[in-house]
């Protein structure tokens, strides 16, 4: 079993209807799919891989050796308490890129390359949302406006890029790479390692690999798209396994709502079923709950929003 791989370029040809249907299936049945021929230049993707790997070696690798996960594993006495601590940590080096925060300074090409990449990813995210609108029968731009907080586009959506590395782990049986969770926000675009696997999704009660595929962009549905679609699209549980070999690279970009955006099921989708399956809430309130419950079932998070 493998997650769908979709040729994005076929949206411009005779196979548009079939491609739209495959994207709908990816959102409805999987919550994840991979895009190839998505329009982001391969040359840019090669530069992104290079600068992120160099950045880890030059600025991050030594610091990871002092992380709590490494310290606990190095000092492990095989006791129950230590094992429980490790299960609640992630074997991950991570930093976030936003337009207004501090970025790594090395290598010198890092910032220019990643700014160009983020511009391309943001455009791709908005194309994907337009397709979601059309597949759901929503008016053009509905999802983007919802994430911005309204028709006047008063608030900007949050667009962040999480750069992660999962170094070789001597005891992958004891510590996860990244604990299982669903993503809180809107549309997530992942440029994952094309050689070292580790990402898995939960499908029909079974954990399956998100197969490494050169130059593909993995798309997954966040919790807020689930709400806007009134449950037609579903965010799904996913995790990263630690590995004894390889240093897995992962670059995930998140097109999320403004913290002030009010999120609710699209009225057209409520009319179709006469059932509003999710409450209306402010995304910032949801994030306050998510920060405490990220690795717990998502149902109670939505319930908490309904009680506000």
């Amino acid at each position: 079993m493998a997650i769908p791989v979709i040729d994005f370029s076929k949206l411009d040809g005779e196979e548009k209807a079939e491609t739209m249907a495959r994207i709908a299936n990816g959102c409805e049945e999987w919550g994840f799919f991979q895009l190839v021929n998505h329009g982001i230049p391969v040359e840019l993707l090669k530069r992104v891989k290079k600068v992120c790997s160099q950045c880890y070696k030059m600025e991050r690798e030594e610091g990871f050796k002092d992380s709590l996960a490494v310290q606990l594993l190095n000092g492990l006495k095989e006791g129950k308490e230590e094992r429980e601590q490790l299960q609640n940590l992630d074997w991950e080096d991570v930093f976030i890129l936003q337009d207004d925060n501090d970025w790594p300074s090395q290598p010198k090409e890092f910032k220019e390359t990643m700014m160009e990449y983020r511009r391309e990813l943001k455009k791709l995210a908005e194309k994907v949302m337009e397709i979601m609108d059309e597949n759901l029968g929503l008016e053009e731009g509905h999802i983007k406006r919802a994430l911005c907080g309204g028709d006047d586009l008063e608030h900007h959506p949050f667009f962040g890029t999480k750069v992660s590395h999962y170094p070789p782990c001597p005891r992958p049986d004891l510590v996860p790479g990244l604990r299982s969770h669903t993503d809180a926000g809107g549309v997530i675009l992942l440029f994952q390692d094309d050689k070292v696997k580790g990402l898995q999704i939960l499908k029909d009660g079974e954990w399956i690999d998100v197969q490494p595929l050169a130059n593909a962009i993995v798309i997954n549905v966040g919790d807020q798209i689930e709400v806007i679609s009134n449950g037609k699209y579903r965010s799904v549980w996913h995790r990263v396994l630690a590995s004894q070999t390889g240093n897995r690279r992962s670059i995930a970009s998140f097109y999320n709502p403004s913290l002030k955006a009010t999120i609710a099921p699209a009225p057209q989708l409520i009319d179709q079923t006469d059932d509003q399956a999710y409450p209306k809430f402010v995304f910032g309130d949801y994030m306050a709950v998510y920060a405490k419950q990220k690795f717990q079932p998502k149902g109670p998070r939505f319930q908490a929003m309904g009680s506000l």
Side-chain angles (χ1 to χ4, degrees):
M1 191 186 311
I3 73 167
V5 177
I6 299 168
D7 187 338
F8 206 57
S9 67
K10 292 185 177 180
L11 285 170
D12 297 325
E14 296 179 355
E15 298 179 53
K16 177 180 178 179
E18 179 184 347
T19 305
M20 295 282 289
R22 294 194 66 204
I23 293 172
N25 174 262
C27 293
E28 293 176 22
E29 300 298 328
W30 293 83
F32 269 74
F33 54 92
Q34 300 209 54
L35 293 181
V36 296
N37 297 323
H38 39 63
I40 300 174
V42 170
E43 180 272 334
L44 174 58
L45 295 178
K46 288 180 178 178
R47 282 193 283 128
V48 167
K49 290 192 290 185
K50 180 180 178 180
V51 298
C52 287
S53 294
Q54 289 177 335
C55 179
Y56 176 75
K57 286 289 185 182
M58 298 170 77
E59 292 203 10
R60 309 289 305 181
E61 188 171 30
E62 285 302 312
F64 181 75
K65 295 176 183 178
D66 295 326
S67 67
L68 180 58
V70 172
Q71 291 178 28
L72 281 174
L73 200 55
N74 287 341
L76 187 65
K77 299 176 182 178
E78 300 294 334
K80 180 180 178 182
E81 182 177 345
E82 289 86 352
R83 285 176 175 267
E84 288 180 351
Q85 281 184 282
L86 283 167
Q87 286 299 309
N88 290 313
L89 293 173
D90 303 310
W91 192 265
E92 177 188 40
D93 176 76
V94 58
F95 60 91
I96 303 294
L97 303 177
Q98 300 170 224
D99 291 338
D100 57 356
N101 69 340
D102 292 330
W103 291 30
S105 59
Q106 298 293 328
K108 59 183 176 58
E109 303 90 357
F110 182 86
K111 187 168 186 178
E112 179 183 355
T113 299
M114 295 307 292
M115 286 178 67
E116 181 181 353
Y117 174 73
R118 277 167 48 81
R119 287 194 296 268
E120 293 293 327
L121 260 287
K122 192 171 184 179
K123 289 188 289 186
L124 180 59
E126 291 174 348
K127 289 180 184 177
V128 170
M129 290 189 292
E130 289 172 3
I131 293 165
M132 289 179 173
D133 285 332
E134 188 171 345
N135 276 335
L136 289 167
L138 302 177
E139 62 184 30
E140 183 178 350
H142 178 96
I143 293 175
K144 182 178 179 180
R145 286 193 297 274
L147 300 188
C148 288
D151 290 331
D152 56 5
L153 303 180
E154 176 185 355
H155 307 297
H156 294 291
F158 172 86
F159 189 73
T161 299
K162 174 187 171 188
V163 181
S164 301
H165 282 83
Y166 302 91
C169 177
R171 292 295 303 271
D173 57 316
L174 294 180
V175 57
L178 178 60
R179 287 163 284 172
S180 57
H181 63 286
T182 66
D183 288 324
V187 175
I188 298 86
L189 307 94
L190 170 68
F191 182 32
Q192 69 162 346
D193 202 297
D194 56 8
K195 292 184 173 60
V196 183
K197 65 181 183 179
L199 177 62
Q200 295 185 324
I201 69 167
L202 189 62
K203 169 70 171 168
D204 299 329
E206 177 184 356
W207 287 104
I208 65 170
D209 292 330
V210 178
Q211 63 274 25
L213 186 62
N215 302 318
I217 299 294
V218 180
I219 306 293
N220 74 281
V221 172
D223 293 350
Q224 307 313 305
I225 298 296
E226 179 172 331
V227 173
I228 292 168
S229 71
N230 203 32
K232 189 167 185 179
Y233 295 170
R234 297 272 180 170
S235 61
V236 300
W237 286 88
H238 53 286
R239 67 183 184 184
V240 176
L241 300 180
S243 172
Q244 287 184 309
T245 59
N247 183 17
R248 181 177 180 272
R249 179 189 58 254
S250 171
I251 306 164
S253 296
F254 301 82
Y255 198 112
N256 287 355
S258 159
L259 290 175
K260 297 181 180 180
T262 297
I263 304 298
Q268 302 95 309
L269 301 179
I270 298 173
D271 293 342
Q272 290 175 12
T273 61
D274 292 323
D275 175 34
Q276 181 170 336
Y278 299 82
K280 180 179 181 180
F281 55 83
V282 175
F283 181 61
D285 293 337
Y286 185 84
M287 284 304 296
V289 174
Y290 181 86
K292 300 174 183 177
Q293 301 181 11
K294 176 177 179 177
F295 303 108
Q296 299 174 25
K298 62 183 175 180
R301 302 197 293 258
F302 294 134
Q303 292 170 10
M305 294 300 98
S307 64
L308 291 179

